[in-house]
Amino acid sequence: SSDLIAAATTKLDALSGTTTGLATRMDSVATRLEKLESSDLLTLARRASLASSIANLTRAAQGSSPFKTEYDIVASLLPGDARLEQIAPYATAGLPTIGTLISSFGSLADAAMDADNQSRGNTWWARLWANFASLVSWRSTAEQDGNSVESRLARAGIRLKAGDLAAAVRELDGIHGNARKPLASWLDRAGSRVRVEATLATLNSEAIEAITGPTDSSEPVPQLPMP
């Protein structure tokens, strides 16, 4: 009977050792799960913070004032991002709003049309007529085909009325020579505004997707209202 008791004791010790080992492994798994959960929560919190900061930057960038403070916050969360670095100068200096660019286009388009008319005045009479035409400052604002200065100005004006600054810039980029000179400064600022808007829209989409997962590409990303 003593042998049976010894054997039973040995089995109990072995079972106890197995139980202890299992408990240790369960504790290890629980610890790893806890760390993983904490890590996931931290990652989600960081992504949410980034999305909020990008939204604040987008809102600030839509005005005409510098947006350096909001920019610096996002830059600290996305260190070394080349897209952000490209818009850094605008964060310091600010940019005209889309509304300002649209409202200032008409007079510049008239000046571009005048410059184009005068550049084509090869004879004395043609130059006289071009000078007279510049006093009248008439140009068509209806949709036109072709690549003439007037056609491109008309199409750009229509695109601007629809709020599509990028399409207007693409139309005006095809204007060269004397007619481009009155538009040069406006085009530079408008092109910068387009780049800033496009960059922030991309960053905003990526930040939202990082939280919610891939979205239906057929649905537009919500944008803030035009100032």
Side-chain angles (χ1 to χ4, degrees):
S1 62
S2 60
D3 291 338
L4 291 175
I5 293 174
T9 300
T10 300
K11 289 182 179 180
L12 285 174
D13 289 342
L15 179 61
S16 177
T18 301
T19 303
T20 301
L22 180 61
T24 300
R25 279 185 287 174
M26 289 181 65
D27 288 343
S28 176
V29 170
T31 300
R32 283 157 53 186
L33 286 174
E34 184 178 350
K35 288 182 179 179
L36 180 61
E37 185 178 79
S38 298
S39 176
D40 286 346
L41 289 175
L42 182 59
T43 298
L44 183 60
R46 286 174 175 169
R47 290 175 178 175
S49 177
L50 176 60
S52 176
S53 298
I54 292 175
N56 289 335
L57 173 58
T58 302
R59 187 177 296 107
Q62 287 190 324
S64 59
S65 301
F67 44 95
K68 186 75 164 57
T69 300
E70 294 81 2
Y71 173 87
D72 286 343
I73 292 173
V74 175
S76 69
L77 296 172
L78 291 174
D81 190 291
R83 296 166 299 181
L84 273 176
E85 292 174 357
Q86 290 177 354
I87 68 172
Y90 312 126
T92 302
L95 281 171
T97 65
I98 294 178
T100 297
L101 290 166
I102 292 174
S103 64
S104 62
F105 174 72
S107 60
L108 296 174
D110 287 339
M113 194 70 226
D114 293 344
D116 182 58
N117 286 333
Q118 292 180 24
S119 68
R120 289 186 286 108
N122 295 323
T123 66
W124 177 86
W125 173 248
R127 287 196 299 272
L128 180 62
W129 175 252
N131 289 332
F132 172 75
S134 67
L135 294 176
V136 178
S137 294
W138 181 90
R139 62 181 172 84
S140 174
T141 57
E143 182 84 28
Q144 300 181 45
D145 293 329
N147 293 318
S148 69
V149 170
E150 186 175 22
S151 298
R152 287 189 175 277
L153 290 173
R155 290 197 298 269
I158 292 172
R159 305 300 180 265
L160 287 175
K161 286 181 180 179
D164 194 342
L165 182 63
V169 169
R170 287 195 296 270
E171 287 289 352
L172 297 174
D173 270 339
I175 296 178
H176 305 286
N178 290 338
R180 188 181 181 89
K181 293 178 182 178
L183 300 169
S185 179
W186 187 95
L187 269 173
D188 181 62
R189 291 175 293 163
S192 298
R193 169 57 69 183
V194 169
R195 284 190 292 275
V196 169
E197 296 282 339
T199 296
L200 294 181
T202 299
L203 291 175
N204 185 52
S205 297
E206 291 177 356
I208 292 175
E209 186 173 316
I211 297 175
T212 63
T215 56
D216 184 356
S217 59
S218 64
E219 296 182 1
V221 177
Q223 300 294 322
L224 294 173
M226 184 186 300

